[in-house]
């Protein structure tokens, strides 16, 4: 059996100044890794037709002689159908537009009928 006589028989001796510090194994976590938070959902937004229907039906009660109320009813119905299909807000606006439009239109018809027959 031969014994090495010097450091060059097994390769060069590494210079300790050129070695990087040793990194140990990663630290042990006593609990499982936490799950990342899910991405927030995009804001759904309010249906534009519902807002337009509400504005038209309330404006129809003061101006345009009931035409705005009729437009508000039609836009409110279309907005309700869109809201049922898409995940948007504005259902309350659409229902309020239909109710206000029906009340204003019925009052307008009653006033016209009373003016004609009286």
């Amino acid at each position: 059996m031969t014994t090495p006589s010097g450091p060059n028989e097994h390769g060069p001796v590494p210079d300790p100044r050129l070695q990087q510090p040793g990194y140990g194994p990663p630290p042990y976590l006593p609990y499982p890794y936490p799950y990342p938070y899910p991405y927030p959902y995009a804001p759904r937004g309010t249906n534009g037709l519902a807002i337009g229907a509400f504005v038209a039906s309330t404006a129809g009660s003061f101006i345009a002689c009931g035409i705005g109320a009729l437009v508000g009813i039609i836009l409110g119905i279309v907005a309700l159908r869109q809201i049922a299909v898409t995940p948007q807000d504005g259902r309350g606006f659409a229902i309020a537009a239909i109710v206000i439009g029906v009340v204003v239109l019925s009052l307008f018809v009653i006033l016209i009928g009373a003016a004609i027959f009286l």
Side-chain angles (χ1 to χ4, degrees):
M1 198 169 228
T2 61
T3 59
S5 62
N8 290 337
E9 286 187 9
H10 292 292
V13 176
D15 188 3
R17 295 174 293 169
L18 299 177
Q19 292 181 355
Q20 293 186 0
Y23 295 104
Y28 172 72
L29 295 175
Y31 51 88
Y33 293 106
Y35 292 105
Y37 291 107
Y39 291 111
Y41 294 106
R44 298 185 324 183
T46 305
N47 191 318
L49 281 180
I51 295 173
F54 184 74
V55 170
S57 62
T58 47
S61 63
F62 299 113
I63 51 177
C65 299
I67 296 173
L70 183 62
V71 170
I73 293 170
I74 294 170
L75 287 179
I77 292 170
V78 172
L80 277 178
R81 289 187 181 181
Q82 283 184 356
I83 291 169
V85 174
T86 61
Q88 287 183 324
D89 294 330
R91 187 171 186 271
F93 276 124
I95 292 173
I98 293 170
V99 169
I100 291 171
V102 167
V103 168
V104 167
L105 201 59
S106 63
L107 288 176
F108 183 71
V109 168
I110 289 172
L111 284 175
I112 294 295
I116 290 175
F117 293 114
L118 291 178

